[in-house]
Amino acid sequence: MKDTAKHQGLRNQLATVLKAKGITDENVLNAVRKIPRHLFIDSSFESHAYQDKAFPIAADQTISQPYTVAFQSQTLEIKKGDKVLEIGTGSGYQTAALLELKAEVYSIERQRELFKKASLFLPKLGYKPKRFIFGDGYKGLPEQAPFDKIIVTAGAPFVPKPLLGQLKVGGMLLIPVGDSSQIMTLFIRKSAKEFEKHELGDFAFVPMLEERN
Ligand code: SAH
């Protein structure tokens, strides 16, 4: 595992690219400047790690595009001590961004291979979520609810009801909804029964899959 001045330079450039695309939150940009993304992907793709692109990881999944990670992090206004549920750990890059923003993170992944990999790898880099969970994100994490923020990093065919129910009043769920492409959708819980909904543009994610046994 190597992180060099060259990688640092590429990260600074990536942050500049994201800024030009509309990421204004300095804490988010600093996270991009800090997290060694090249260590989260297969070494054969190392030279592409700091381009603003998604890449294949294990189990037919992808590491999200840096812009998407920055956009989701910025939209959720993550602040120190926020209790955050992440659905779709994947490579753990988004998890690392949430931890750089000083959130308390619970992260669920349904592919055992990715769950195992991320739960060993992230702590080695000093990224320690409260818990890694191997399970089905459609159900959320009732035993730890309610959450300040819930972030879904896979394309959901519909909005899972349990996730809305596990938000604090004032809390936010950010979820890409759709089949072949997705609309980034933000729900803000206004009261026990009321949610405000905002649609924030088109994105492309791998599908959120039903639980397998
Ligand atoms: N933020 C991750 C994105 C990975 S892609 C990264 O940047 O690396 C989406 C991830 O969601 C995949 O790892 C996939 O296995 C996972 N996933 C899909 N359906 C899921 C479900 N029902 N519950 C939990 N994780 C799921």
Side-chain angles (χ1 to χ4, degrees), residues 156-179:
F158 58 88
V159 181
K161 282 249 165 62
L163 299 186
L164 289 169
Q166 290 173 26
L167 282 178
K168 289 183 189 171
V169 171
M172 298 192 243
L173 164 66
L174 186 57
I175 178 168
V177 186
D179 295 319

PDB file of all heavy atoms in Angstrom, residues 156-179:
ATOM      1  N   ALA A 156     -32.164   2.125  -6.503  1.00  0.00           N
ATOM      2  CA  ALA A 156     -33.294   1.422  -5.889  1.00  0.00           C
ATOM      3  C   ALA A 156     -34.512   1.467  -6.812  1.00  0.00           C
ATOM      4  O   ALA A 156     -34.882   2.528  -7.282  1.00  0.00           O
ATOM      5  CB  ALA A 156     -33.638   2.075  -4.556  1.00  0.00           C
ATOM      6  N   PRO A 157     -35.146   0.310  -7.092  1.00  0.00           N
ATOM      7  CA  PRO A 157     -36.331   0.302  -7.948  1.00  0.00           C
ATOM      8  C   PRO A 157     -37.500   1.058  -7.318  1.00  0.00           C
ATOM      9  O   PRO A 157     -38.370   1.548  -8.015  1.00  0.00           O
ATOM     10  CB  PRO A 157     -36.642  -1.180  -8.108  1.00  0.00           C
ATOM     11  CG  PRO A 157     -35.881  -1.893  -7.045  1.00  0.00           C
ATOM     12  CD  PRO A 157     -34.711  -1.017  -6.682  1.00  0.00           C
ATOM     13  N   PHE A 158     -37.501   1.149  -5.999  1.00  0.00           N
ATOM     14  CA  PHE A 158     -38.542   1.892  -5.270  1.00  0.00           C
ATOM     15  C   PHE A 158     -37.925   2.344  -3.943  1.00  0.00           C
ATOM     16  O   PHE A 158     -36.828   1.891  -3.585  1.00  0.00           O
ATOM     17  CB  PHE A 158     -39.775   1.003  -5.022  1.00  0.00           C
ATOM     18  CG  PHE A 158     -39.465  -0.254  -4.261  1.00  0.00           C
ATOM     19  CD1 PHE A 158     -39.491  -0.275  -2.871  1.00  0.00           C
ATOM     20  CD2 PHE A 158     -39.105  -1.421  -4.943  1.00  0.00           C
ATOM     21  CE1 PHE A 158     -39.170  -1.431  -2.165  1.00  0.00           C
ATOM     22  CE2 PHE A 158     -38.785  -2.591  -4.239  1.00  0.00           C
ATOM     23  CZ  PHE A 158     -38.823  -2.588  -2.849  1.00  0.00           C
ATOM     24  N   VAL A 159     -38.627   3.206  -3.236  1.00  0.00           N
ATOM     25  CA  VAL A 159     -38.098   3.690  -1.957  1.00  0.00           C
ATOM     26  C   VAL A 159     -38.505   2.725  -0.845  1.00  0.00           C
ATOM     27  O   VAL A 159     -39.697   2.579  -0.561  1.00  0.00           O
ATOM     28  CB  VAL A 159     -38.632   5.104  -1.645  1.00  0.00           C
ATOM     29  CG1 VAL A 159     -38.063   5.611  -0.318  1.00  0.00           C
ATOM     30  CG2 VAL A 159     -38.280   6.063  -2.787  1.00  0.00           C
ATOM     31  N   PRO A 160     -37.562   2.038  -0.221  1.00  0.00           N
ATOM     32  CA  PRO A 160     -37.936   1.084   0.830  1.00  0.00           C
ATOM     33  C   PRO A 160     -38.545   1.824   2.037  1.00  0.00           C
ATOM     34  O   PRO A 160     -37.910   2.706   2.605  1.00  0.00           O
ATOM     35  CB  PRO A 160     -36.603   0.424   1.214  1.00  0.00           C
ATOM     36  CG  PRO A 160     -35.663   0.716   0.078  1.00  0.00           C
ATOM     37  CD  PRO A 160     -36.103   2.034  -0.467  1.00  0.00           C
ATOM     38  N   LYS A 161     -39.755   1.439   2.405  1.00  0.00           N
ATOM     39  CA  LYS A 161     -40.479   2.081   3.518  1.00  0.00           C
ATOM     40  C   LYS A 161     -39.691   2.082   4.826  1.00  0.00           C
ATOM     41  O   LYS A 161     -39.674   3.086   5.541  1.00  0.00           O
ATOM     42  CB  LYS A 161     -41.824   1.378   3.755  1.00  0.00           C
ATOM     43  CG  LYS A 161     -42.888   1.768   2.744  1.00  0.00           C
ATOM     44  CD  LYS A 161     -43.996   2.609   3.403  1.00  0.00           C
ATOM     45  CE  LYS A 161     -44.855   3.314   2.371  1.00  0.00           C
ATOM     46  NZ  LYS A 161     -45.571   2.348   1.485  1.00  0.00           N
ATOM     47  N   PRO A 162     -39.020   0.949   5.170  1.00  0.00           N
ATOM     48  CA  PRO A 162     -38.306   0.934   6.450  1.00  0.00           C
ATOM     49  C   PRO A 162     -37.270   2.058   6.568  1.00  0.00           C
ATOM     50  O   PRO A 162     -37.034   2.564   7.656  1.00  0.00           O
ATOM     51  CB  PRO A 162     -37.608  -0.442   6.457  1.00  0.00           C
ATOM     52  CG  PRO A 162     -38.414  -1.283   5.526  1.00  0.00           C
ATOM     53  CD  PRO A 162     -38.948  -0.353   4.475  1.00  0.00           C
ATOM     54  N   LEU A 163     -36.678   2.454   5.428  1.00  0.00           N
ATOM     55  CA  LEU A 163     -35.642   3.492   5.500  1.00  0.00           C
ATOM     56  C   LEU A 163     -36.258   4.828   5.913  1.00  0.00           C
ATOM     57  O   LEU A 163     -35.697   5.551   6.733  1.00  0.00           O
ATOM     58  CB  LEU A 163     -34.904   3.617   4.160  1.00  0.00           C
ATOM     59  CG  LEU A 163     -34.171   2.349   3.691  1.00  0.00           C
ATOM     60  CD1 LEU A 163     -33.358   2.641   2.429  1.00  0.00           C
ATOM     61  CD2 LEU A 163     -33.257   1.795   4.785  1.00  0.00           C
ATOM     62  N   LEU A 164     -37.427   5.151   5.359  1.00  0.00           N
ATOM     63  CA  LEU A 164     -38.100   6.398   5.756  1.00  0.00           C
ATOM     64  C   LEU A 164     -38.447   6.352   7.245  1.00  0.00           C
ATOM     65  O   LEU A 164     -38.272   7.326   7.974  1.00  0.00           O
ATOM     66  CB  LEU A 164     -39.367   6.605   4.924  1.00  0.00           C
ATOM     67  CG  LEU A 164     -39.132   6.981   3.447  1.00  0.00           C
ATOM     68  CD1 LEU A 164     -40.435   6.890   2.664  1.00  0.00           C
ATOM     69  CD2 LEU A 164     -38.528   8.371   3.316  1.00  0.00           C
ATOM     70  N   GLY A 165     -38.896   5.187   7.691  1.00  0.00           N
ATOM     71  CA  GLY A 165     -39.309   5.019   9.079  1.00  0.00           C
ATOM     72  C   GLY A 165     -38.146   5.088  10.063  1.00  0.00           C
ATOM     73  O   GLY A 165     -38.357   5.314  11.255  1.00  0.00           O
ATOM     74  N   GLN A 166     -36.915   4.901   9.575  1.00  0.00           N
ATOM     75  CA  GLN A 166     -35.751   4.895  10.471  1.00  0.00           C
ATOM     76  C   GLN A 166     -35.045   6.248  10.531  1.00  0.00           C
ATOM     77  O   GLN A 166     -33.935   6.357  11.050  1.00  0.00           O
ATOM     78  CB  GLN A 166     -34.789   3.775  10.056  1.00  0.00           C
ATOM     79  CG  GLN A 166     -35.374   2.392  10.371  1.00  0.00           C
ATOM     80  CD  GLN A 166     -34.547   1.241   9.827  1.00  0.00           C
ATOM     81  OE1 GLN A 166     -33.348   1.347   9.633  1.00  0.00           O
ATOM     82  NE2 GLN A 166     -35.214   0.117   9.570  1.00  0.00           N
ATOM     83  N   LEU A 167     -35.693   7.290   9.982  1.00  0.00           N
ATOM     84  CA  LEU A 167     -35.122   8.647  10.053  1.00  0.00           C
ATOM     85  C   LEU A 167     -35.616   9.374  11.298  1.00  0.00           C
ATOM     86  O   LEU A 167     -36.785   9.263  11.671  1.00  0.00           O
ATOM     87  CB  LEU A 167     -35.583   9.465   8.844  1.00  0.00           C
ATOM     88  CG  LEU A 167     -34.925   9.245   7.496  1.00  0.00           C
ATOM     89  CD1 LEU A 167     -35.610  10.154   6.479  1.00  0.00           C
ATOM     90  CD2 LEU A 167     -33.430   9.513   7.548  1.00  0.00           C
ATOM     91  N   LYS A 168     -34.719  10.175  11.892  1.00  0.00           N
ATOM     92  CA  LYS A 168     -35.160  11.111  12.932  1.00  0.00           C
ATOM     93  C   LYS A 168     -36.030  12.176  12.283  1.00  0.00           C
ATOM     94  O   LYS A 168     -35.890  12.430  11.077  1.00  0.00           O
ATOM     95  CB  LYS A 168     -33.953  11.830  13.540  1.00  0.00           C
ATOM     96  CG  LYS A 168     -33.085  10.951  14.398  1.00  0.00           C
ATOM     97  CD  LYS A 168     -31.957  11.764  15.027  1.00  0.00           C
ATOM     98  CE  LYS A 168     -30.992  10.805  15.707  1.00  0.00           C
ATOM     99  NZ  LYS A 168     -29.760  11.455  16.175  1.00  0.00           N
ATOM    100  N   VAL A 169     -36.863  12.847  13.054  1.00  0.00           N
ATOM    101  CA  VAL A 169     -37.544  14.035  12.525  1.00  0.00           C
ATOM    102  C   VAL A 169     -36.448  15.064  12.242  1.00  0.00           C
ATOM    103  O   VAL A 169     -35.555  15.282  13.060  1.00  0.00           O
ATOM    104  CB  VAL A 169     -38.597  14.574  13.516  1.00  0.00           C
ATOM    105  CG1 VAL A 169     -39.131  15.926  13.049  1.00  0.00           C
ATOM    106  CG2 VAL A 169     -39.734  13.569  13.653  1.00  0.00           C
ATOM    107  N   GLY A 170     -36.476  15.632  11.037  1.00  0.00           N
ATOM    108  CA  GLY A 170     -35.389  16.519  10.601  1.00  0.00           C
ATOM    109  C   GLY A 170     -34.313  15.769   9.837  1.00  0.00           C
ATOM    110  O   GLY A 170     -33.430  16.378   9.242  1.00  0.00           O
ATOM    111  N   GLY A 171     -34.383  14.451   9.848  1.00  0.00           N
ATOM    112  CA  GLY A 171     -33.376  13.629   9.169  1.00  0.00           C
ATOM    113  C   GLY A 171     -33.600  13.551   7.662  1.00  0.00           C
ATOM    114  O   GLY A 171     -34.663  13.907   7.153  1.00  0.00           O
ATOM    115  N   MET A 172     -32.567  13.079   6.949  1.00  0.00           N
ATOM    116  CA  MET A 172     -32.624  13.036   5.486  1.00  0.00           C
ATOM    117  C   MET A 172     -32.245  11.662   4.946  1.00  0.00           C
ATOM    118  O   MET A 172     -31.278  11.052   5.407  1.00  0.00           O
ATOM    119  CB  MET A 172     -31.633  14.038   4.898  1.00  0.00           C
ATOM    120  CG  MET A 172     -31.904  15.475   5.265  1.00  0.00           C
ATOM    121  SD  MET A 172     -30.893  16.557   4.219  1.00  0.00           S
ATOM    122  CE  MET A 172     -29.870  17.324   5.444  1.00  0.00           C
ATOM    123  N   LEU A 173     -33.009  11.237   3.948  1.00  0.00           N
ATOM    124  CA  LEU A 173     -32.679  10.021   3.187  1.00  0.00           C
ATOM    125  C   LEU A 173     -32.332  10.452   1.770  1.00  0.00           C
ATOM    126  O   LEU A 173     -33.125  11.145   1.121  1.00  0.00           O
ATOM    127  CB  LEU A 173     -33.891   9.076   3.150  1.00  0.00           C
ATOM    128  CG  LEU A 173     -33.864   7.957   2.095  1.00  0.00           C
ATOM    129  CD1 LEU A 173     -32.750   6.939   2.378  1.00  0.00           C
ATOM    130  CD2 LEU A 173     -35.222   7.223   2.045  1.00  0.00           C
ATOM    131  N   LEU A 174     -31.152  10.051   1.286  1.00  0.00           N
ATOM    132  CA  LEU A 174     -30.758  10.379  -0.086  1.00  0.00           C
ATOM    133  C   LEU A 174     -30.612   9.072  -0.849  1.00  0.00           C
ATOM    134  O   LEU A 174     -29.776   8.230  -0.501  1.00  0.00           O
ATOM    135  CB  LEU A 174     -29.446  11.167  -0.083  1.00  0.00           C
ATOM    136  CG  LEU A 174     -28.978  11.702  -1.444  1.00  0.00           C
ATOM    137  CD1 LEU A 174     -30.028  12.593  -2.087  1.00  0.00           C
ATOM    138  CD2 LEU A 174     -27.666  12.465  -1.280  1.00  0.00           C
ATOM    139  N   ILE A 175     -31.446   8.916  -1.883  1.00  0.00           N
ATOM    140  CA  ILE A 175     -31.537   7.611  -2.556  1.00  0.00           C
ATOM    141  C   ILE A 175     -31.748   7.793  -4.054  1.00  0.00           C
ATOM    142  O   ILE A 175     -32.625   8.544  -4.474  1.00  0.00           O
ATOM    143  CB  ILE A 175     -32.679   6.776  -1.891  1.00  0.00           C
ATOM    144  CG1 ILE A 175     -32.846   5.417  -2.575  1.00  0.00           C
ATOM    145  CG2 ILE A 175     -34.012   7.533  -1.864  1.00  0.00           C
ATOM    146  CD1 ILE A 175     -33.733   4.450  -1.791  1.00  0.00           C
ATOM    147  N   PRO A 176     -30.915   7.116  -4.869  1.00  0.00           N
ATOM    148  CA  PRO A 176     -31.136   7.157  -6.325  1.00  0.00           C
ATOM    149  C   PRO A 176     -32.260   6.181  -6.671  1.00  0.00           C
ATOM    150  O   PRO A 176     -32.140   4.988  -6.405  1.00  0.00           O
ATOM    151  CB  PRO A 176     -29.805   6.697  -6.907  1.00  0.00           C
ATOM    152  CG  PRO A 176     -29.006   6.116  -5.780  1.00  0.00           C
ATOM    153  CD  PRO A 176     -29.734   6.313  -4.498  1.00  0.00           C
ATOM    154  N   VAL A 177     -33.345   6.685  -7.266  1.00  0.00           N
ATOM    155  CA  VAL A 177     -34.509   5.839  -7.523  1.00  0.00           C
ATOM    156  C   VAL A 177     -34.720   5.649  -9.025  1.00  0.00           C
ATOM    157  O   VAL A 177     -34.791   6.623  -9.776  1.00  0.00           O
ATOM    158  CB  VAL A 177     -35.791   6.446  -6.913  1.00  0.00           C
ATOM    159  CG1 VAL A 177     -36.963   5.471  -7.056  1.00  0.00           C
ATOM    160  CG2 VAL A 177     -35.593   6.776  -5.433  1.00  0.00           C
ATOM    161  N   GLY A 178     -34.822   4.378  -9.442  1.00  0.00           N
ATOM    162  CA  GLY A 178     -35.081   4.086 -10.849  1.00  0.00           C
ATOM    163  C   GLY A 178     -34.410   2.793 -11.258  1.00  0.00           C
ATOM    164  O   GLY A 178     -33.583   2.258 -10.524  1.00  0.00           O
ATOM    165  N   ASP A 179     -34.767   2.305 -12.466  1.00  0.00           N
ATOM    166  CA  ASP A 179     -34.224   1.033 -12.919  1.00  0.00           C
ATOM    167  C   ASP A 179     -32.954   1.186 -13.747  1.00  0.00           C
ATOM    168  O   ASP A 179     -31.868   0.938 -13.264  1.00  0.00           O
ATOM    169  CB  ASP A 179     -35.295   0.256 -13.681  1.00  0.00           C
ATOM    170  CG  ASP A 179     -36.446  -0.133 -12.756  1.00  0.00           C
ATOM    171  OD1 ASP A 179     -36.156  -0.530 -11.616  1.00  0.00           O
ATOM    172  OD2 ASP A 179     -37.616  -0.017 -13.159  1.00  0.00           O
TER     173      ASP A 179
END
